Amino acid sequence: IRSIRVITGNISIFRTKSGYTNLDVFKTVDPKDSIKTSSPVLFSFEHVRLKDVKFLYYDSLKKKSIDLFFSDVTNQLSKTDSSTLLALVGRMDFGGMILNSEKGSYLKGQSADVNFKLEYLSETRRLLIHPSSMKFKKSDVDLSGYFSFAAPGNFVLNVGSGKLNYNEGLSLLTKSIQSRLDKYKVDKPININATIAGRLVPGAQPDVDIKFRVVNSNISVGKMNARKVTLEGSFTNHFDDTQINSNQNSMLTLLRFKGIIRGLPTTLSATIKNFNDPFI
C-alpha cells in the first residue's frame, strides 16, 4: 500500500506520566524472539492526503501538547536507510502548541497555508525542520529548527518574517507574552527573527532571542506616541547566562531609533534591563 486518503478522522497520540505511549503497539519484534518474521501486508506510504482530520499529541510526562486540524493537506513521504522525509503542503488549523504548560499555548485558534519540509532521523530520534513556511492572513512566517527526543531532550526553533503584521504576530504567541506586548501599537510591518531554544522537560523556560527592525512606522506605548519611526533592536530573556530565564533576566536593546516624539525629531539608543523593575 503506497497511497492513502483519510477523510474526517482523528489521530491521537499520548504518553502517560509512567512513560507508556500508545505508539508502543507499533514496536517491531526481534525475529529471534518470535516465530513470525514478516507481515502479510506491506505498508510503504509515499502519498498521504488528510482532509478534515484532527491530530492530537499529548505528553503527560513532559506536559507538552500539539493540537492540529488538517483541513486539506497532502503529504509526500520518502525513506532512506537512516531517515524519513516528509513534505507537507496544504491548509491547517492550529488548536495550539504547548511547550510550557505554565506559559500557555502558541498558535491557538490560528489557520495557515503551510509548506513544511521535515526529516526524522530514527537512530538519533531527532526531527529536523528544514526551511519551511506558513502563510497567515496578513503575514508570511519562515520556520526551521529541530526537536531531539532522545533523553534528556531539547529543541531549537528559528522563526522569522520579512513583513510581519504586529497584531497578527501577537496572536501567534502565548497569552503570557501577549500581555507584555499588547501595550505597544505598531502600524507598519516588522522584519523579525526569533530563536527559541530549550529542553523538553516539564516547566523548563526556553531561551528566547529576538532581532527586529521597523521602517517609517507610527508607534505608541500608552499615552506616548512616536511618528515616522525607524528602529532596530533586540530582546533576550537570558542576558546573564548564570541566572534563570525570567523577567528579571530580560533585556530590550534599541540599537538605533529615529523618529518624531511630541513634535521633536529624536534619535537615541537605549538598553532596558529587568522587566520587573526596569533599569534604562
Side-chain angles (χ1 to χ4, degrees):
I1 300 176
R2 297 185 182 277
S3 178
I4 187 172
R5 181 171 64 169
V6 182
I7 302 175
T8 315
N10 277 292
I11 302 171
S12 298
I13 300 173
F14 66 84
R15 181 162 68 162
T16 65
K17 291 182 179 179
S18 65
Y20 169 78
T21 170
N22 59 339
L23 289 178
D24 286 347
V25 299
F26 296 107
K27 283 186 175 179
T28 57
V29 178
D30 189 332
K32 293 182 294 184
D33 299 329
S34 174
I35 298 175
K36 186 177 179 181
T37 59
S38 63
S39 171
V41 180
L42 297 179
F43 296 91
S44 183
F45 294 134
E46 297 174 358
H47 181 92
V48 179
R49 184 178 178 186
L50 303 176
K51 184 176 176 60
D52 297 333
V53 173
K54 183 177 179 62
F55 172 84
L56 178 63
Y57 170 76
Y58 188 80
D59 190 329
S60 297
L61 182 64
K62 295 183 177 180
K63 296 182 179 179
K64 304 183 187 300
S65 69
I66 299 175
D67 184 355
L68 305 173
F69 184 80
F70 297 93
S71 296
D72 193 355
V73 175
T74 298
N75 305 269
Q76 298 287 347
L77 293 94
S78 59
K79 292 186 177 182
T80 67
D81 292 339
S82 60
S83 69
T84 299
L85 299 170
L86 171 63
L88 185 153
V89 179
R91 184 72 174 176
M92 291 175 57
D93 300 322
F94 296 88
M97 180 173 67
I98 297 177
L99 302 177
N100 184 331
S101 58
E102 296 178 358
K103 299 297 182 181
S105 176
Y106 291 91
L107 296 169
K108 187 172 183 179
Q110 300 298 315
S111 298
D113 293 314
V114 303
N115 188 344
F116 289 159
K117 296 177 178 63
L118 310 176
E119 182 177 8
Y120 183 70
L121 307 178
S122 55
E123 291 186 3
T124 57
R125 297 180 61 198
R126 175 172 287 205
L127 176 66
L128 304 179
I129 305 174
H130 296 295
S132 302
S133 65
M134 295 183 289
K135 185 177 181 63
F136 298 94
K137 287 182 179 179
K138 300 178 180 179
S139 311
D140 293 349
V141 175
D142 299 320
L143 184 69
S144 64
Y146 70 85
F147 286 85
S148 180
F149 300 107
N154 66 308
F155 71 94
V156 173
L157 280 176
N158 302 301
V159 185
S161 177
K163 293 182 178 181
L164 180 71
N165 177 274
Y166 186 76
N167 289 333
E168 186 171 65
L170 281 186
S171 69
L172 309 180
L173 304 175
T174 66
K175 292 293 185 183
S176 174
I177 299 176
Q178 289 182 41
S179 65
R180 302 177 199 172
L181 298 178
D182 61 8
K183 67 182 69 174
Y184 300 91
K185 307 298 179 186
V186 183
D187 71 349
K188 291 290 181 66
I190 301 174
N191 183 307
I192 188 167
N193 289 283
T195 298
I196 305 168
R199 297 173 297 150
L200 294 173
V201 296
Q205 177 68 18
D207 294 347
V208 178
D209 294 280
I210 302 172
K211 293 183 179 180
F212 56 88
R213 185 171 182 266
V214 63
V215 177
N216 198 27
S217 179
N218 295 323
I219 299 176
S220 63
V221 187
K223 296 182 180 180
M224 178 66 72
N225 298 300
R227 298 186 296 109
K228 298 182 178 180
V229 173
T230 295
L231 69 84
E232 184 176 349
S234 64
F235 167 85
T236 182
N237 67 343
H238 60 108
F239 71 82
D240 183 349
D241 285 328
T242 65
Q243 304 295 320
I244 63 172
N245 300 345
S246 63
N247 284 343
Q248 293 95 322
N249 201 19
S250 295
M251 179 172 68
L252 177 67
T253 302
L254 301 180
L255 298 174
R256 284 177 290 274
F257 176 102
K258 182 178 181 180
I260 300 174
I261 300 177
R262 294 183 177 175
L264 295 177
T266 305
T267 60
L268 61 85
S269 61
T271 300
I272 305 171
K273 291 185 177 181
N274 187 348
F275 281 20
N276 280 353
D277 185 16
F279 178 79
I280 301 176

